[in-house]
Amino acid sequence: MAIFKFNKLNSTNLHLKQNFNNYKNFDIILAEHQTNGYGRFKREWLDLGGENIFMSICLKFDGFNDNIVGITQYTALMLAKTFKFYGINPTIKWPNDIHIEGKKISGILAESVIKNSKFLGIVMGLGINLNTNDEMFDKVSQKVTSLNIETSKKIDKTEFINNFMQNFEHDYEVFLANGFANFKNEYVSYLNCIDKEITVKNYDKTFTGIARSVSDNGLLLLETDGEIQEISAGDIEY
């Protein structure tokens, strides 16, 4: 693992996608500032200052295999476990947002890299509120928090990244060999929607029901009218 630091990028994900061949597996792109950061559904990820984390991980593959499905949920689990190391109790808002007592502290965006119809790998982007303040939060419309606020101390960025990557890499080969199923139960233990009535909005479709669990590849299992539906993507509302 090597960390490539930039003072300013439009987006760490975009930079890595455009320069994918120049980096190796597990290389990290880290920016002090982003001018055009984005999350799922191309939503803006605001730059709340250089003491936070804007990073993307280079994950290379020799073609696609089904075990890769669920890699975003795997990443969310490893990130939640990293937060727990700091003495707080994170939850996962399916599929990959980390929350602390209902406040968002991080988001994840996985994007495939394909060239000449060949799957080359995944750019795994992470935005993490590490060190910020209430004044910066005034820029954000949703409820958010940061690790320094939750722990009442400044967090070392390099230490946090190393702790996360240690978690991520430790079980990565098991994940690639066996898929997400090996991690499903632990992942579900962090979910904040289980056995609750929720609404899932997926572009032009809306589903309402009881969240029961996730499938072996991380799809949400939603019970509606006594039947289980598998939801592959969407935003949850409680």
Side-chain angles (χ1 to χ4, degrees):
M1 180 190 80
I3 299 178
F4 296 85
K5 298 181 180 179
F6 296 83
N7 179 51
K8 184 183 291 186
L9 289 173
N10 52 4
S11 158
T12 58
N13 264 28
L14 185 59
H15 171 86
L16 186 50
K17 285 193 297 181
Q18 292 173 340
N19 300 277
F20 197 74
N21 290 336
N22 297 332
Y23 295 101
K24 297 178 181 179
N25 199 33
F26 290 133
D27 279 353
I28 291 173
I29 304 301
L30 182 67
E32 290 292 305
H33 298 282
Q34 287 190 135
T35 59
N36 192 29
Y38 57 91
R40 291 189 311 132
F41 304 109
K42 294 298 182 181
R43 293 195 182 98
E44 182 181 17
W45 184 272
L46 290 175
D47 184 336
L48 297 181
E51 292 295 327
N52 299 289
I53 292 177
F54 316 105
M55 64 178 274
S56 297
I57 310 167
C58 180
L59 300 175
K60 295 201 168 186
F61 302 99
D62 185 19
F64 186 84
N65 71 74
D66 290 340
N67 285 346
I68 299 172
V69 177
I71 193 170
T72 306
Q73 287 87 336
Y74 170 82
T75 304
L77 173 60
M78 297 306 151
L79 185 54
K81 292 170 70 171
T82 306
F83 280 119
K84 197 167 186 178
F85 173 80
Y86 288 85
I88 59 176
N89 293 310
T91 60
I92 298 174
K93 182 181 180 183
W94 182 87
N96 52 36
D97 287 346
I98 310 297
H99 282 214
I100 309 295
E101 296 184 354
K103 299 177 181 179
K104 186 173 179 177
I105 196 168
S106 71
I108 297 169
L109 177 65
E111 297 186 277
S112 297
V113 180
I114 299 171
K115 187 174 182 180
N116 297 327
S117 301
K118 183 180 180 181
F119 176 78
L120 301 180
I122 290 174
V123 169
M124 185 66 68
L126 296 93
I128 302 168
N129 296 335
L130 210 65
N131 296 289
T132 189
N133 54 58
D134 292 334
E135 182 179 338
M136 296 297 292
F137 286 156
D138 289 340
K139 300 179 180 180
V140 186
S141 58
Q142 61 182 303
K143 293 181 179 180
V144 292
T145 189
S146 60
L147 192 51
N148 70 311
I149 289 177
E150 298 298 326
T151 61
S152 300
K153 62 181 180 182
K154 185 175 180 179
I155 306 300
D156 183 273
K157 185 190 297 188
T158 301
E159 178 188 79
F160 186 94
I161 292 172
N162 287 337
N163 288 338
F164 165 70
M165 289 303 297
Q166 185 175 8
N167 282 336
F168 185 89
E169 292 185 49
H170 183 267
D171 290 316
Y172 187 69
E173 292 303 322
V174 175
F175 169 78
L176 290 185
N178 301 304
F180 180 70
N182 277 43
F183 305 92
K184 180 179 75 171
N185 290 341
E186 188 176 13
Y187 173 84
V188 170
S189 73
Y190 280 93
L191 284 180
N192 57 16
C193 64
I194 298 300
D195 295 330
K196 295 180 180 178
E197 184 174 45
I198 62 171
T199 297
V200 184
K201 293 185 177 180
N202 184 353
Y203 296 105
D204 59 340
K205 296 181 180 180
T206 300
F207 306 91
T208 298
I210 307 295
R212 292 306 186 193
S213 188
V214 297
S215 68
D216 284 350
N217 55 9
L219 303 185
L220 182 66
L221 301 181
L222 188 71
E223 182 181 344
T224 58
D225 299 324
E227 297 184 355
I228 298 295
Q229 295 190 68
E230 291 189 346
I231 310 296
S232 61
D235 280 339
I236 286 179
E237 294 181 358
Y238 303 102

